[in-house]
Structure formats: structure tokens, C-alpha cells
Amino acid sequence: MTEALRYLIVDDDEIDRMAIEVQAGRFPFLHKIASCDNPVEAFGLISRWKPDIVFADIGMPGMSGLELIRILSGQVPAPVFITSHPEYAIEGYEMEAFDYLLKPIVPERFARCALRLRDFAGMRARAFAYEKEQDSGWIVVKQGYDKYKIALNEILYLEAMKDYTRIMTRSG
């Protein structure tokens, strides 16, 4: 079962915030931690609660959602822009946005985004499911209930597969 993904909504329009909540409510793995109408308040909430996802409008008075995510620079694992401004999509993706949804929100499109968020969180959790021994040059990788100790200098590359990551070593 997927652990809950905590999200925050920042949009200056109350109806749009409610629309995002309704769509997110269809997915039990999405858990709202806050909703606000301006980026300044969002900045404080994000710093405090560290959400996994921020659904941000772009066109807001004072500071845009793009500026907010730029200021946070990597503090939000999955920023999702939800806006009626398609012309900012390239800039959003250049800032490593997870997704870019156009208003009005289409349920099927939101569902694709939500399921991708779930898959991303699972891959991210697996990527961090290893323990690095302090300055030893080894990592311990979990596979099911088993753990394997691998020398870092033996790793040639990692190959992302659908539900797992293959670690290729010199010894095969």
C-alpha cells in the first residue's frame, strides 16, 4: 500500500482550490495538509509542513506560482502547476515541475497526474531504501526482506525498471 502523499494547494481563487480538493479526494493516497490563497502564506506552510506535492496556480497577485517554486528551489519533491496559462508550461518544466495541468481541471487528466505522483513516490522511496555506511565505501540495499552489501566502486550503473532498480556491478 502506498504511503499517503501530503499536498498543499496555493491558488488565489477559492473555487479553483475546491476543484483541486475534489479531484484529489478521489485518491486515498493524497492527503491535504493545507490550502491557501497566496504564495507568501504558502511559503511559510511549505517551510513548516514539508509537503510532498504543491499544486500551485501561476497567475496570482504579488508573486506567481512559478516564483514561489523558484524560491523554494528543490524543497518540494513534486510541484504541479494548475493554471489557465498554457504559455508558461515550458518555464514550468524548466523548473522541473512534475506536471502542468490546465484549468478547468479534466478529471481524467488529474487522475493520470495523481497516479504518476503515486508511482514517483514509490520509486523515490525505493531509491532511498538503502543505508550508506559512514565513509565505508559500501551501501546496503534492501530487496524484499533481504539486504545486500555492495561496494560503491563496484557499481557500474543503475538501471530504472518499472518496479525496481537493477544495480549493475563489475562482477555482474
Side-chain angles (χ1 to χ4, degrees), residues 4-24:
L5 299 174
R6 299 170 320 116
Y7 71 89
L8 178 139
I9 301 168
V10 55
D11 194 314
D12 61 327
D13 186 291
E14 183 177 7
I15 293 173
D16 289 337
R17 287 192 309 271
M18 289 188 320
I20 296 166
E21 274 187 62
V22 167
Q23 293 302 319

Side-chain angles (χ1 to χ4, degrees), residues 8-11 17 34-49 63 68:
L8 178 139
I9 301 168
V10 55
D11 194 314
R17 287 192 309 271
S35 180
C36 56
D37 63 3
N38 68 78
V40 174
E41 181 183 1
F43 182 79
L45 292 169
I46 291 165
S47 297
R48 180 177 178 195
W49 295 106
M63 178 189 298
L68 172 67

